[in-house]
Amino acid sequence: MSLNHHSPGEAVRPVRQESEEADVLEIYPGASMAPRVKPRPRRHLTGSEAGMATAEYAIATLAAVGFAGLLVFILRSDEVRGFLLNLIRTALALP
């Protein structure tokens, strides 16, 4: 239910508030009367926590690159290549 009483065809006009600060048009009438919300103080990181997320991403990236390199080395070996080709041939030969 709206507190603004107006006809459906009537255009809604912002309420003009008299103020010492500035000439303000309120889009939501009564919004200036609402209590102000105080911002929370920002938490400052200590020296041991500064840049921690960046270091964690760097370690995870290095681990992923190392794992990918190991997989490439293993998959290029003749034994694994022969095993994979034999597996594919056997799968294609099934009726």
Side-chain angles (χ1 to χ4, degrees):
M1 181 174 174
S2 175
L3 296 177
N4 298 330
H5 301 289
H6 61 276
S7 309
E10 180 183 348
V12 178
R13 293 178 154 186
V15 175
R16 190 174 284 274
Q17 295 283 337
E18 295 299 324
S19 171
E20 294 178 3
E21 294 176 10
D23 190 22
V24 178
L25 292 176
E26 280 192 343
I27 296 174
Y28 302 105
S32 64
M33 301 305 203
R36 299 281 181 199
V37 177
K38 292 182 182 178
R40 285 193 235 165
R42 290 187 176 195
R43 180 179 163 237
H44 294 286
L45 297 176
T46 61
S48 64
E49 295 176 344
M52 197 162 192
T54 305
E56 290 169 354
Y57 282 121
I59 290 170
T61 303
L62 286 175
V65 168
F67 186 67
L70 183 65
L71 281 177
V72 167
F73 179 75
I74 290 172
L75 291 175
R76 286 194 176 193
S77 68
D78 290 334
E79 294 85 16
V80 174
R81 186 176 295 172
F83 173 72
L84 290 175
L85 286 174
N86 189 21
L87 183 68
I88 292 170
R89 283 186 192 130
T90 306
L92 293 176
L94 292 176

